[in-house]
Amino acid sequence: MTRQFENYLYNKTLQLGKQAKEQNGTLRCATDSKGRIVDQHMLSAYRMGRVTSENAGCGWVACYNALRLLGKPQNAARTILELETAFVFGGKRGTRTVQLAPYFLKKGFSVSFSTTRAAAQKKAKDCAANIIYYVRGDLRTAHFVAFSPADGEKDGAPLFCWYNALSAPLLPRAPFEGAALPCVCFGGDAGDLRTLADLLAPEKSIFWIVMHITSKT
C-alpha cells in the first residue's frame, strides 16, 4: 500500500469539525461553524506526504475551502489525496504553486489571475472563490489563503472574507457537538473580514498573485 493511500485511509477516520485544542479556557477550532478551515495550526492530525498539516498544509486547505465556496465540497482526506503529487519534499515545503490552477481546471472550473490590487479587487468581487498566494517579506515563507466577496468597504476598497489567513483575532464561534468548552476560531462566526491591503500589510508581502476560480459557462 502506498503512503498516499495510507494517509487517505487514516485521514478519512478524522472528524474535521472537531479538530481543536484547549487554549485559555476555550477550544481553539480548526474550522468555523460552517465547516471552512480557518486555522491550519489545529490540523496536526492530518497527514500529507511524509508530514502533518499544521505547518505546510495551506495549499490543500485553500483548495478545500475554495471547493466549498464553489458549491462543490469534498472531504479533507480526498483533497489531500488528490494533491499528494503536488507536495514539495514530501510535504515539508508545502504545495507547488503551479499545481493549483491545473487542479481546478481538471475539475472543470475556469481560472484567471491578477497581479495588481485594482484588478484583483475588481475580479474577486465577482468570483465565489479566490486564492491568494503571497511571500512574506520578513520570514521568507509563503502562504495560500482562499477568500470570497463580502459586503461593505473600507476606505473605498471592498471587503473580503479570508479563510486560514492566521492573522485575525480569535473570536467566538458556535460550539461543535460535544464541545466541553466555549469555542473560538480566527475571525469567529462573523468571519475574517478585511481588505486586500489589510491582509497583506502585517505580512510585509514582497510578492503576491491572486487566482480567481469560476464555473465554466
Side-chain angles (χ1 to χ4, degrees):
M1 184 182 298
T2 64
R3 177 184 289 109
Q4 290 93 328
F5 195 60
E6 288 178 349
N7 287 349
Y8 172 71
L9 293 178
Y10 172 79
N11 290 335
K12 275 190 67 177
T13 69
L14 303 174
Q15 292 181 279
L16 179 60
K18 294 187 177 182
Q19 300 303 305
K21 296 180 181 179
E22 185 174 348
Q23 181 174 310
N24 300 324
T26 64
L27 288 176
R28 177 176 164 181
C29 300
T31 65
D32 62 18
S33 61
K34 293 183 179 179
R36 282 93 50 117
I37 298 173
V38 294
D39 190 352
Q40 72 182 65
H41 292 153
M42 300 298 102
L43 297 178
S44 57
Y46 278 86
R47 300 172 182 173
M48 51 175 284
R50 296 193 296 270
V51 299
T52 51
S53 297
E54 70 271 26
N55 294 320
C58 61
W60 76 256
V61 166
C63 292
Y64 171 90
N65 283 332
L67 287 170
R68 291 185 71 87
L69 294 169
L70 290 161
K72 300 292 184 181
Q74 60 184 40
N75 64 49
R78 179 179 173 186
T79 304
I80 294 171
L81 178 65
E82 291 173 344
L83 288 165
E84 282 277 3
T85 58
F87 296 146
V88 182
F89 298 127
K92 292 180 180 179
R93 298 301 300 271
T95 307
R96 291 182 181 87
T97 310
V98 297
Q99 294 292 100
L100 265 65
Y103 177 79
F104 286 98
L105 290 171
K106 288 178 182 177
K107 287 183 173 292
F109 296 101
S110 297
V111 301
S112 59
F113 298 89
S114 295
T115 56
T116 67
R117 187 180 301 176
Q121 292 176 158
K122 181 178 180 180
K123 294 183 72 173
K125 286 194 300 181
D126 296 323
C127 294
N130 309 271
I131 294 176
I132 187 171
Y133 169 82
Y134 57 85
V135 179
R136 298 179 175 104
D138 52 351
L139 301 176
R140 293 298 191 274
T141 57
H143 194 45
F144 293 100
V145 181
F147 66 101
S148 60
D151 294 331
E153 295 184 346
K154 178 186 175 184
D155 300 328
L159 292 173
F160 298 99
C161 192
W162 308 88
Y163 309 97
N164 196 43
L166 306 177
S167 54
L170 288 167
L171 296 173
R173 53 145 285 183
F176 57 81
E177 184 178 355
L181 293 169
C183 293
V184 298
C185 69
F186 282 129
D189 274 343
D192 178 6
L193 304 178
R194 287 183 277 176
T195 64
L196 175 59
D198 285 344
L199 173 85
L200 294 173
E203 305 288 5
K204 301 180 178 64
S205 174
I206 58 174
F207 171 80
W208 61 267
I209 187 170
V210 172
M211 180 170 69
H212 311 282
I213 312 159
T214 57
S215 298
K216 288 184 177 179
T217 56

